[in-house]
Amino acid sequence: MDTQTVLDRACEHAALGPRGANPLVGAVLVEHSTGRNATGYHRGRGTAHAEVDAIRNAQAANLELAQCTLYVTLEPCAHHGVTPPCTQAILQVGIRHVVYAVPDPTPTASGGAHTLRTAGVDVTHVPHRPSQVLNDRWLVAQHGGRPFITAKIAQSLDGYVAAADGTSQWITGDAARAHAHTLRHTVDAIAVGTGTLLHDDPTLTARATSDGPQPLRVHIGLTPTPDTAKVRGDGNFLHLMTRNPTEVAHTLATRGIRHLLIEGGPTLIGAFLQANLVDVLQVYTAPLLLGAGTSSANLPQVTTLAHGLRLTPDPTTQPQWLGTDLLTHYIPSAHVQSTSHNTTAAHASGESHV
């Protein structure tokens, strides 16, 4: 197989991983003499990186690693994070040839290619457009110095998160709400606007399992957080008195937040969408028609069809039925121009309930 074909395969495996704080990365090890190969991919924070996963699979298949070339969609990391650096694993098993598609832009993890070359490994950068496109939004977040941001909506079939009288519990069913709590366990922080906070008094905890730390609970808006608000909980709480999504994103980044979940309401979600700060939009749609009510996203600057925010279905994630509700994922274009970085981000009229 030629290099582009092997990188295509690595990219296909990368797409099996979850989007979030870490990029989607895939790897293929090819044995020179036989053409036999082994693949790997990253399954999310705390799991083996794609290179290590491929190495383990190659060892299980008895490939001669010193006679293999490692193809990987992203430059191998060179730092100690939750897991050891991939460069260390590559050197330990004697791999002498590495091809990577996209340079790692992160200050802490970049430099792997230099580390390997210094150790005598033949390292080649071969640009590969599918690998670049796969992580477009993650790369946007990295270059912007902000967290990867997921926004979540739970809506009726006609796009409402609450009925005309304000009732919203519950639009979606048990399976969708349970799934939403598994999402909460993958993020570092969960944010709501003032409207949601006052109307629903949410706890913003991840209740699917007791394992692991709870995400930081964030209130975004100018109104003081009531002393009795459930989000205050055990003190793992932050009130950001601003309506500027860009300011929010950068402030959270300085606190070490790498993956932020926007829970609601429509004004907050709309503000982040219009500022081009949503990297994945996760939508739970119930087979329910309300006819009127609170729209799932407040986009005051969209006044004509041409101004609408067009999204792309995430090619890495298939639509999923959760009971009678349908879960879909969408990605904004990495190159969408922000309509405003000062769009109102508080006083949302209701939360996206699941």
Side-chain angles (χ1 to χ4, degrees):
M1 292 186 288
D2 63 79
T3 297
Q4 291 293 322
T5 300
V6 179
L7 287 174
D8 284 345
R9 189 174 182 206
C11 198
E12 290 171 0
H13 280 77
L16 299 174
R19 290 196 186 275
N22 294 298
L24 300 174
V25 185
V28 179
L29 273 162
V30 179
E31 193 175 60
H32 301 153
S33 59
T34 65
R36 293 193 304 147
N37 59 81
T39 61
Y41 69 96
H42 185 46
R43 291 168 173 80
R45 185 182 301 183
T47 66
H49 286 194
E51 299 93 323
V52 174
D53 190 38
I55 288 170
R56 291 173 180 172
N57 291 333
Q59 290 171 328
N62 295 316
L63 269 64
E64 181 58 53
L65 290 171
Q67 300 301 318
C68 288
T69 294
L70 172 65
Y71 298 83
V72 61
T73 58
L74 185 70
E75 178 186 5
C77 69
H79 81 301
H80 283 270
V82 178
T83 59
C86 295
T87 51
Q88 177 180 310
I90 292 167
L91 294 173
Q92 283 178 342
V93 298
I95 294 171
R96 308 309 302 165
H97 302 276
V98 173
V99 174
Y100 70 96
V102 179
D104 192 324
T106 57
T108 55
S110 62
H114 175 73
T115 298
L116 292 172
R117 289 191 184 105
T118 301
V121 177
D122 175 31
V123 182
T124 305
H125 173 215
V126 178
H128 181 247
R129 182 61 181 161
S131 294
Q132 179 83 26
V133 171
L134 185 68
N135 284 309
D136 258 354
R137 290 303 310 191
W138 181 82
L139 290 165
V140 166
Q142 295 303 308
H143 288 301
R146 63 167 178 81
F148 187 90
I149 299 175
T150 299
K152 186 191 75 180
I153 290 173
Q155 64 178 17
S156 65
L157 194 60
D158 47 355
Y160 296 109
V161 296
D165 65 354
T167 55
S168 57
Q169 296 183 3
W170 298 101
I171 286 178
T172 54
D174 293 341
R177 295 197 299 276
H179 187 278
H181 279 284
T182 66
L183 170 64
R184 288 182 176 185
H185 271 286
T186 69
V187 304
D188 301 312
I190 305 173
V192 294
T194 297
T196 295
L197 183 79
L198 299 180
H199 183 270
D200 300 314
D201 193 19
T203 60
L204 301 186
T205 54
R207 297 188 291 272
T209 174
S210 60
D211 296 336
Q214 287 285 336
L216 176 69
R217 300 180 293 275
V218 182
H219 166 209
I220 301 172
L222 302 181
T223 301
T225 308
D227 292 339
T228 57
K230 292 177 183 176
V231 293
R232 289 187 175 275
D234 58 4
N236 186 27
F237 160 76
L238 177 66
H239 180 198
L240 296 178
M241 297 187 70
T242 180
R243 296 180 179 182
N244 187 318
T246 302
E247 181 183 339
V248 168
H250 290 161
T251 298
L252 291 176
T254 64
R255 298 177 65 96
I257 301 302
R258 299 180 59 215
H259 190 182
L260 170 66
L261 172 62
I262 305 295
E263 283 262 3
T267 299
L268 186 67
I269 288 175
F272 273 81
L273 282 168
Q274 291 189 132
N276 191 27
L277 290 174
V278 172
D279 301 303
V280 172
L281 180 63
Q282 187 161 315
V283 182
Y284 300 84
T285 302
L288 170 70
L289 295 171
L290 294 176
T294 303
S295 177
S296 60
N298 184 6
L299 304 171
Q301 298 191 36
V302 176
T303 57
T304 183
L305 183 63
H307 295 163
L309 301 182
R310 292 197 180 274
L311 309 176
T312 300
D314 185 351
T316 72
T317 307
Q318 296 299 313
Q320 178 182 357
W321 287 104
L322 299 168
T324 59
D325 303 320
L326 182 63
L327 171 61
T328 50
H329 297 75
Y330 301 91
I331 304 174
S333 167
H335 309 292
V336 168
Q337 296 296 314
S338 299
T339 54
S340 172
H341 284 282
N342 296 301
T343 308
T344 298
H347 305 297
S349 57
E351 183 177 0
S352 301
H353 282 292
V354 294

